Amino acid sequence: MHMSRPVPPPSAAHSGYINKALNAHSHCLDISCLCFHRAEMALQGAARGLSNGSNSTFSEIIELNVGGQVYVTRHKTLIAVPDSLLWTMFSQKAPQDLPRDSKGRYFLDRDGFLFRYILDYLRDLTLVLPDYFPEKCRLQREADFFQLRELSKLLAPKMSKDNSISEDICPSDPEEAALQCAVGGSGASPAAIHARSPSSESRKSGYITIGYRGSYTIGRDIQSDAKFRRVARITVCGKTSLAKEVFGDTLNESRDPDRPPERYTSRYYLKFNFLEQAFDRLTEVGFHMVACSSTGTCAYASNDPTEDKIWTSYTEYVFCRD
């Protein structure tokens, strides 16, 4: 009968090698479990963030392009009022879902001038407007668009006990305020007041200066006139109330906002680049040109004197209404 040979016990060296291998394998398992646990925690945190509608991918500093006006503010300012439009945009949506301009700024197609008051309100939830502010109705419309209900209530005209508007609405012209007082005291319509006072328009006498900086090119043979009269910007100087009366919504006040109506300014400019359009508006309201002056400089397009000459001029036209 064949008998099997007993297996000899492992040597001490061989046992140590086996123990080291088992310990290394156990350590790898521990690391794998730890990595898996951390990944699971991260996924759970991301799921909680999505369920709460929060989005931490916005930077702390946000650049906005609002109707062509650039604003820089903090992210927490834009989300200061829950359930507002800006709160929804910058807390419930991802950055890639929002429209941007060519420079990567978040774009809002709204009134860029009035947005400064929207942003001021969001900073400390307090409404502070300058004196002689004639844009309350338009600002209330912006507040409604951005779903700022408390701001809209602050801007709404207040009604007195006799159901009349008791809030002082700052007109853009002192004479307009006097006209409103006359209408309220006599019960007559504004048209009737003007009909009885044909000289009311003539009392608004004054001067308005229109300026522009243009350029044109004269060819080497002085026969061609390429790029003639390129007008960069038409400026308006004069009394604020007169400028607003003549040009209305076509007047850009962003360089000198909140100017009282009885003050003068030299920083307004027009939203169009046609001098004839400005002249037509002035003529329609009784202004006529009384003076004009112009200065010009000449330069070459390059260092080559045989190249075209570029003339740059600055011209001012003075209009008067007696």
Side-chain angles (χ1 to χ4, degrees):
M1 183 174 181
H2 180 73
M3 299 293 293
S4 60
R5 298 176 59 186
V7 178
S11 64
H14 189 234
S15 298
Y17 175 78
I18 293 176
N19 290 332
K20 288 182 179 180
L22 290 175
N23 290 335
H25 182 67
S26 175
H27 182 66
C28 291
L29 288 176
D30 292 339
I31 293 177
S32 299
C33 291
L34 179 61
C35 293
F36 178 79
H37 179 68
R38 289 179 178 177
E40 184 180 17
M41 294 290 292
L43 290 174
Q44 290 177 356
R48 285 194 300 269
L50 290 175
S51 63
N52 294 331
S54 61
N55 194 326
S56 60
T57 56
F58 286 100
S59 61
E60 181 184 359
I61 304 301
I62 303 292
E63 290 191 48
L64 302 173
N65 178 351
V66 185
Q69 299 288 332
V70 177
Y71 291 90
V72 181
T73 186
R74 293 183 178 275
H75 178 257
K76 66 178 182 180
T77 301
L78 298 175
I79 60 174
V81 178
D83 297 325
S84 65
L85 178 63
L86 293 173
W87 178 85
T88 302
M89 291 176 60
F90 290 95
S91 68
Q92 306 298 299
K93 294 184 179 181
Q96 60 269 21
D97 296 334
L98 302 180
R100 298 177 182 246
D101 64 5
S102 58
K103 295 187 178 180
R105 307 185 187 98
Y106 297 103
F107 180 74
L108 292 166
D109 190 15
R110 302 300 298 180
D111 191 312
F113 170 71
L114 293 177
F115 187 75
R116 59 180 295 193
Y117 302 107
I118 298 292
L119 201 56
D120 284 343
Y121 174 78
L122 292 175
R123 290 188 177 109
D124 52 15
L125 301 182
T126 303
L127 175 63
V128 179
L129 295 178
D131 296 332
Y132 304 103
F133 185 73
E135 307 288 351
K136 280 191 177 181
C137 291
R138 294 177 59 187
L139 182 57
Q140 184 183 9
R141 183 178 63 185
E142 295 299 305
D144 291 336
F145 175 82
F146 287 107
Q147 301 172 13
L148 299 170
R149 297 176 181 84
E150 294 301 322
L151 177 58
S152 181
K153 291 179 182 179
L154 293 173
L155 292 167
K158 297 179 177 60
M159 304 299 293
S160 63
K161 295 180 180 180
D162 57 352
N163 292 329
S164 61
I165 297 177
S166 60
E167 183 182 22
D168 293 332
I169 299 176
C170 299
S172 59
D173 194 322
E175 294 189 20
E176 183 181 346
L179 178 61
Q180 290 179 356
C181 292
V183 172
S186 63
S189 64
I193 295 294
H194 281 294
R196 292 197 300 267
S197 304
S199 61
S200 60
E201 286 295 330
S202 63
R203 289 197 301 268
K204 297 181 182 179
S205 59
Y207 291 85
I208 288 181
T209 300
I210 300 296
Y212 84 94
R213 191 180 305 276
S215 64
Y216 58 92
T217 302
I218 297 180
R220 285 173 292 178
D221 55 0
I222 318 181
Q223 299 296 324
S224 60
D225 54 349
K227 298 181 181 179
F228 177 71
R229 207 187 74 175
R230 183 179 65 85
V231 180
R233 178 175 290 176
I234 300 175
T235 60
V236 178
C237 309
K239 196 173 183 179
T240 303
S241 58
L242 284 177
K244 291 182 178 180
E245 175 198 340
V246 174
F247 297 106
D249 292 338
T250 64
L251 192 68
N252 193 319
E253 308 171 35
S254 60
R255 296 176 60 196
D256 195 9
D258 310 330
R259 174 69 65 170
E262 75 278 2
R263 300 292 294 275
Y264 290 81
T265 181
S266 61
R267 298 176 61 83
Y268 287 170
Y269 63 93
L270 300 178
K271 297 178 181 179
F272 53 83
N273 291 329
F274 297 98
L275 280 171
E276 293 77 9
Q277 187 175 351
F279 295 166
D280 287 343
R281 283 181 171 267
L282 286 161
T283 304
E284 289 171 358
V285 293
F287 282 84
H288 60 277
M289 188 185 301
V290 295
C292 156
S293 65
S294 180
T295 60
T297 59
C298 177
Y300 292 101
S302 64
N303 294 328
D304 188 355
T306 62
E307 291 296 324
D308 296 346
K309 295 180 179 179
I310 298 178
W311 286 85
T312 301
S313 65
Y314 179 75
T315 307
E316 288 185 340
Y317 301 92
V318 181
F319 287 80
C320 174
R321 184 168 65 187
D322 300 325

